[in-house]
Amino acid sequence: MKRVIQHPAPETTGRKYWRSLEELAESPAFQAELEREFPQGAAEFHGDDLSRRNFLRLMGASMALAGVGFAGCRRPEAYITPYRKSPEWAIPGRSLFYTTAMPRRKGAMPLMATTYDGRPTKIEGNPGLPGSRTATDAIAQASILDLYDPDRAKDVMAQGKPSTLEAFWKQLSDLRTQFAANKGAGLAILANVDSSPTRSRLKAELRAQFPAAIWAEYDPILAASSLESAQELLLGQGVTQAPLYDKAKVILSLDCDFLGFFDGTTDSIKKFADGRRVAKPGDGMNRLYAVENRYTLTGGMADHRLRLPASQIPAFTALLAKELEKTGLNLGLNGAADAIAKVSAKDDFKTKWIAELAQDLIRHKGSALVVAGSNQPVAVHVLTAAINSALDSYGTTISTVSAPTREAKSIQDLAAAIEAKSVQTLFVLGGNPVYDAPAELNWASLQKSVPQVIRSSYYRDESSTGAQWFVPTAHYLESWGDGLTPEGAYVCIQPTILPLFAGVSQLQILAALLGQPVAFGPQAVQETFRQISKNNSELAWNEFVHDGVLTGSSAKSLGAKPAIDRARTAISGSFASLGDKSLELVLVPSTSVEDGQFANNGWLQELPDTITKNTWGNAALVSPKTAKELGIESHVNKGIHYGKMVALTVNKRQITVPVLVAPGHADNSISLSLGYGRTQAGRAGNGVGFNAYPIRTSEAPYVMTGVSLKPTGEETDFALTQEHGAMEGRAIVREATSEAWAANPGFAKEQGIDGHQPYIEAVNPYTGQTEKTLPSIYKHPLMTGLNQWGMTIDLNTCVGCNACMVACQSENNIPVVGREQVQHNREMHWIRIDRYFAGPEGTPDENAVENPEMVMQPMACQQCENAPCETVCPVNATVHSEEGLNVMTYNRCIGTRYCANNCPYKVRRFNFFDYNKRPIHRTQVGLGPLKVESERPLYFGPLATRPEDEVELIKMQKNPNVTVRMRGVMEKCTYCVQRLEGAKIEQLARIKGSENHRLPDGVVKTACQQVCPAEAITFGNINDANSAVAKAKNDPRNYQVLAYIGTVPRTSYLARIRNPNPKMPDAISMGLISTPAGHEGEHGHESHDHTPHAADPHSAPAEGATSHGGSGH
Amino acid sequence: MVRRPLVANKRSYHWVSDKICSICEDPAPLWWWFFTVVSFVLMMTCFALIGYQISTGVGVWGLNHPVGWAWDITNFVFWIGIGHAGTLISAILFLTRQKWRTSINRAAEAMTLFAVICAAIFPGIHVGRVWMAWYLAPIPNSNAIWQNFRSPLLWDVFAVSTYFTVSVLFWYTGLIPDLALLRDRAKNKIRKVVFGILALGWRGSNRQWSHYEKAYLILAGISTPLVLSVHSVVSFDFATSILPGWHTTIFPPYFVAGAIFGGFAMVLTIMLPARWVFGLHDMITQKHIDNMCKILVLTGTIVGYAYIMELFIAWYGGNPFEKFVFIKSRVSAPFWAVFGYLPFDWAQGIAKSLGTNYGPYWWAYWAMMSCNVISPQFLWFKKIRENPWLVWMVCMAINAGMWFERFVIIVTSLFRDFLPSSWGYFKPTWVDIWTFVGTFGLFLFLFLLFMKFLPMIAISEVKGVMPESDPHNHDHDPKKEGSHH
């Protein structure tokens, strides 16, 4: 019998949206909820009550109310101005963008937050700003995860018991009355460093109201910097200098990692890349000299790199100054001649290196730039300024700009006041001094000795213990604020969501102390804006919030010149001589978790160190030679790297850390990153790595000499994401010197095994351009999509900063797997940065193991036209799209892993466990009453459930346009297909039925491309000959990795060009990581080994035996 | 030269029937109970660990990026290889009229089936989402997505399932006359009914024999190409890939030879103890052992040739990636150890050209070489062939060697492939190890049940090759007359 399906009868009196809304709004329960909703709205999210359902319910209700004319609540009309286009209201499933900024120690980073239905999910750079535009760094990308951190502080606490914000405001008003009597004597505030002009304004008001109060600021990283005092000495107060890396032809970095984020910014990477980018031989590119003790990103990009202990940088600078003076350059250092005259280099190689460097600097007078690391002593900065001044760099490659002065006492002053018992009430706002204050202050007990401590921070961290009052700090995405970018532009911090928990901003606390209104709102910032912009109109304010930046507020060039005469007295005493053999310890911020404030961020903990590729922990880095001398070599056993534990003692202070051998590190020098060994960071950050702060003092916060090192006899394991550092003579990363490139523009296609392929000239069916290609016996059917996606990555500008890795993780919902899984090589990053060490044998100064060249290569799915993964999948889960994407159907995947095995680039990632559903960190596992604590809960499968707060919060970060993958499924880069499809839909809507729905070039960017400060990634439609990517593919440096297999990848690379100075003693060792396959008359079989002798810096006689190299073997 | 008789000591038909049937009919000896219980426990361990793996994730094994397959597929290829001897003995030796096959074919076929069952477990459970494994079956579904017929993994599914089906039919067909014999000898009702059903009404009429022999011949004809195709298809999993170490045209014949090699070794491994405990020396004679040893020498040498040829091509082909896998990851270590420490320049040169960072799995390669290439060479010697202990030891070495061969192919190709940045290392977890050990429990458990409940030697076929069956027998030896039963 045929079955007739009966549809339910349609409702005759269908409920209308508005009617039901009115009903809802009139119900007493909802009215009550609304009452509590204002003004904080945070009440609903208290404690365990937070769930997605609850959240959405509130979101939905408040949105609806906004529509019928109630004052905005969760999406306040008055507070938030949407970015650029002004959509009427959010369309479910479509994103809205809001400009905002992230406060950082060196200034605010202008951002644009992507929100879906009121949830911020992704961070981008604010494209409205000049400079690095859409670029950000890894930390800014990862900051979105902090917003949804289940471990963030949620409750106001008074005397260790839960309290309310109302009680806290009352406490502050009581304090105000109390201190009004004695002008603030006994009141002290210790705050983190922040660029906010509003905070400065409130600080000034505070000073006026309570002149006797102490305002101190402390930042553990900036505390090591002498740059500010040096610039004050050289340029006067309120003036700072900004190196123009794009203008310089020759750059010398003296321990200045301006391509990292501590001496540099995204803008400095962009400027450097601009000066580095080349399209054809003969294009001028800059030349970079780097002198540093450990490999940094800057050293990796250098054309000439000298390994030198950080304590010998002053001597090197002095020698360079001497050499420059010898050649007749007047540095104006007359008074300091003595100190410099005494310096000498004992080493022929270094003498020659300095002499040739000096010559090159002089040759490029007017386009040379010398930069010194901010942590180097004032003398180095004065010498550097003298050199720059003599080379006419000021005004050409260095601009001087005004900078706000930081009027604050130091933490040492505050400590003295506390010791003198003159502090009754201490505010500790932000920062984490108990963890990171200078060791000699013994801050933990100092803070305890203060009668009343009021603490506001994002986490209940080390410094929150024992505080009488604790107030959670709001995330920057949930509070109003402002800031100045490192370039001096005035930017707005706009909330994109109301505080998820009872968080307040520092500005609110200061306002409360001043007796001003504390409501969540922009009033305080608006007031500052009016003062700065001198414009009272609402329109100007709206524009400011909309654009995120005050137009024309960037610092103007002042044209100041350094006063060497005034400063040269700073060059005194004697310099440690070059070649000194005493052991030094250098403390640097981690490239992942910085000073430790991001320790609970899983993305950052799992983000490999840019050089060592170490995750979830830190290590003391030493050179292979020093390790051998001291008997502390690291080794590999069954795929896991082990390091010896050593006790480091400086001035009777001792820490125990593991040693990882690092190729390219200076001898007799130890580098150790800060930011690890947290005890109250949260479930991700607790007990990860080793804390270096206990030996870090105010006197020597950066370089410590007189270090003694003693192996404890124990070992510890590391979780490295890359275990083998040598290229094994394979031309994977290709490079040539600028000379070799000029001699053979097409070198990139001829290296390695490709040098023996019979390339033919053929027309690329997509780009229409004639190009050298490999012949194929199989004619692949053409893909018919209008857009044929392709990508190029310029290895000449990629510095390897890791920003793309986190951007991808954030965009594509990539899970964190934890330390133990990283050790099993199960990390999930869709894009990774491969780092290779190599160097030809017989480098003049040292051998290749000690001083190798370092190159970076971002590696993600190459979207092969002949994808080897597709043919082997038995269930058709990975197939090719008409637009040239190698697409992955997660629902269809059964997880045979055959595709990953057959992928020559090893970019496919398999979900070995249910990383999204199961707990990763130590937790309770078991059923009912049978519960045990486990370090490896993943291995308990269904017996381990992820804590509810983790699940509920973290899923709010997920990009709704990307599937969250379950276990047993393969995943990989898709060129951000969700963005491509989104852009296509928008284009179709725009053209309304017209035939031409090809996307204009540049309207769609992949997450990695968008974030890249160096703009090394070009992406677009290769079917469009005018697109940037089609042009890049036509670059003579264009090559495909492993082209010989015939995979025809859509991602190709532009070979790297090194620009060595041929006269330098180490010129021969640069740019030879893969030597050109000289075809001259040798076609025999043995000529296949054209590439490298790239000596393996990590060669070890046997597995299990000692290997050199942190990342060796 | 007089041919050695296939059944020694001039045994009678009755003796043959009685000897074999009594194994099934008498109460099980104590040792049988012991081994059955032990293997049952192991089997259950295997099942429990499979349950653990499916409930928790593939991560409980030691797999990682880049080693996406390791013990799972090693075990699969190992067991499927063992499953080759049975059908080869039944089908190819049948077609080529090798009469000596009759006393070993039944057990070998059973072994094949059980080995294929063990093998089939691994591709089934190694996938990330076992509950979706039915996507591999070409059945109409609402998604209207077909399988990818270009994938060797899919060919595998078809090849193995076809092989298993045909092997079961072939085995069962051969069992029918013997099942009827057991039915006829049955002394209790249950046996009578069960064997009555299983014997499918066999009466031993001429007509039935005629049909039976035709069917058997047809099945042998169908099975013969399958013997060659199954392992060829399994080898395509590797050969059609692009991975150096897998991407090799020699794989199909090399895998088939290896499978026969491994299969025969396993037949001997099982039959030698069985012959001893059940006193089957008169049916499984020295001649059988000799023949099988000779096959081991032949196939072992083919396998050895393939190993050397792979190395030669890796060098001659000049592909540095392939050269790396074979020379550095697999063979180099012992050579390096020899040459690298010699105080001569030329020796140092050789050592250096082999590379200083040879692979950590060199021991697997050399275990494979010594077990598979060197150990069968002992079987050239008659003295050794006639010592069952030595033969058994050689077979055990080959069993281990064949497992190592698959491990070498799979893991040492994967763990260091194209981009050194992705190199890794594989080490098995306890789950890997006990799941594999557990499959031996499953295999033995099934085999012990088979030995206890079914005739482990094809009674009717053995009778067929005895002199009495020869119509001309009486012409030569009238004294034998009357020995029929």
Side-chain angles (χ1 to χ4, degrees), chain B residues 274-294:
Chain B
R275 170 187 189 243
W276 177 63
V277 291
F278 294 118
L280 302 174
H281 298 73
D282 289 342
M283 280 173 285
I284 303 169
T285 64
Q286 183 59 37
K287 177 184 169 112
H288 292 92
I289 296 171
D290 260 5
N291 282 355
M292 286 195 273
C293 284
K294 285 171 189 167

Side-chain angles (χ1 to χ4, degrees), chain A residues 849-868:
Chain A
V849 181
E850 295 291 333
N851 193 16
E853 220 185 299
M854 182 176 78
V855 287
M856 297 283 185
Q857 184 176 43
M859 185 56 69
C861 175
Q862 305 281 296
Q863 314 288 350
C864 309
E865 283 177 17
N866 296 337

Side-chain angles (χ1 to χ4, degrees), chain A residues 354-421:
Chain A
I354 293 170
E356 291 299 342
L357 166 64
Q359 289 300 324
D360 205 25
L361 287 173
I362 289 169
R363 269 198 302 277
H364 290 87
K365 198 172 169 186
S367 62
L369 171 63
V370 182
V371 285
S374 54
N375 293 350
Q376 285 293 333
V378 174
V380 173
H381 293 289
V382 174
L383 280 169
T384 308
I387 294 170
N388 276 327
S389 194
L391 290 169
D392 293 342
S393 303
Y394 283 90
T396 53
T397 59
I398 299 173
S399 79
T400 45
V401 292
S402 63
T405 48
R406 217 164 74 207
E407 284 163 27
K409 291 251 178 3
S410 69
I411 194 169
Q412 287 83 0
D413 297 336
L414 179 59
I418 295 173
E419 259 168 18
K421 301 278 170 216

Side-chain angles (χ1 to χ4, degrees), chain A residues 637-640 721-728 730-732 753 821 824-828 832 834-836 841 857 859 868-876 878 889-898 900-906 908-914 918 936 938-942 966-970 1041-1042 1044-1045 1047 1085-1086 1088-1089 1096 1098-1103 1113, chain B residues 52-70 72-73 126-136 141 143 145-154 157 236-244 246 315-325 328 336 341 352 356-362 414 416-427 429-430:
Chain A
N637 187 16
K638 302 212 187 321
I640 293 179
T721 58
Q722 187 179 344
E723 289 162 11
H724 196 93
M727 260 187 340
E728 293 296 330
R730 301 170 179 188
I732 297 162
I753 196 167
Q821 293 289 297
H824 277 91
N825 297 352
R826 290 173 184 168
E827 65 274 6
M828 299 297 290
R832 57 173 200 259
D834 289 347
R835 183 271 294 114
Y836 295 106
E841 285 171 288
Q857 184 176 43
M859 185 56 69
C869 50
E870 288 169 12
T871 53
V872 299
C873 174
V875 294
N876 264 331
T878 186
T889 319
Y890 303 121
N891 287 343
R892 181 76 185 166
C893 175
I894 62 170
T896 67
R897 300 182 297 286
Y898 197 177
N901 289 344
N902 209 26
C903 172
Y905 310 98
K906 288 290 171 282
R908 291 181 152 261
R909 296 283 177 238
F910 184 69
N911 287 274
F912 283 97
F913 288 109
D914 228 334
R918 303 280 167 226
R936 310 198 309 164
L938 281 174
Y939 290 85
F940 286 82
M966 75 180 299
R967 81 175 151 94
V969 169
M970 191 61 76
V1041 174
L1042 303 174
Y1044 93 96
I1045 316 174
T1047 49
H1085 273 299
E1086 285 318 300
H1088 281 258
D1089 269 339
D1096 176 2
H1098 311 294
S1099 55
E1103 180 65 20
H1113 213 85
Chain B
Y52 174 47
Q53 190 264 113
I54 291 172
S55 68
T56 303
V58 180
V60 301
W61 291 344
L63 300 173
N64 56 33
H65 312 122
V67 186
W69 291 347
D72 47 357
I73 303 300
H126 94 291
V127 297
R129 304 200 299 165
V130 179
W131 50 96
M132 294 296 181
W134 60 272
Y135 282 171
L136 287 164
N141 61 72
N143 298 329
I145 303 171
W146 276 102
Q147 287 59 42
N148 178 6
F149 294 101
R150 295 177 298 173
S151 171
L153 222 51
L154 194 69
V157 174
F236 291 160
D237 285 345
F238 309 107
T240 62
S241 81
I242 59 167
L243 200 70
W246 286 11
W315 168 77
Y316 182 74
N319 180 328
F321 297 91
E322 196 172 331
K323 208 150 109 183
F324 181 90
V325 170
K328 286 195 180 177
W336 200 89
Y341 295 103
K352 219 169 177 183
T356 47
N357 59 342
Y358 51 75
Y361 289 118
W362 62 271
L414 279 171
R416 288 183 173 176
D417 69 341
F418 294 95
L419 302 190
S421 66
S422 311
W423 288 2
Y425 185 85
F426 168 82
K427 58 175 183 292
T429 62
W430 65 277

Side-chain angles (χ1 to χ4, degrees), chain A residues 623-644:
Chain A
S623 75
K625 191 174 161 201
T626 305
K628 204 168 185 182
E629 280 167 10
L630 299 170
I632 48 172
E633 289 155 299
S634 29
H635 72 98
V636 189
N637 187 16
K638 302 212 187 321
I640 293 179
H641 286 249
Y642 293 87
K644 295 215 164 65

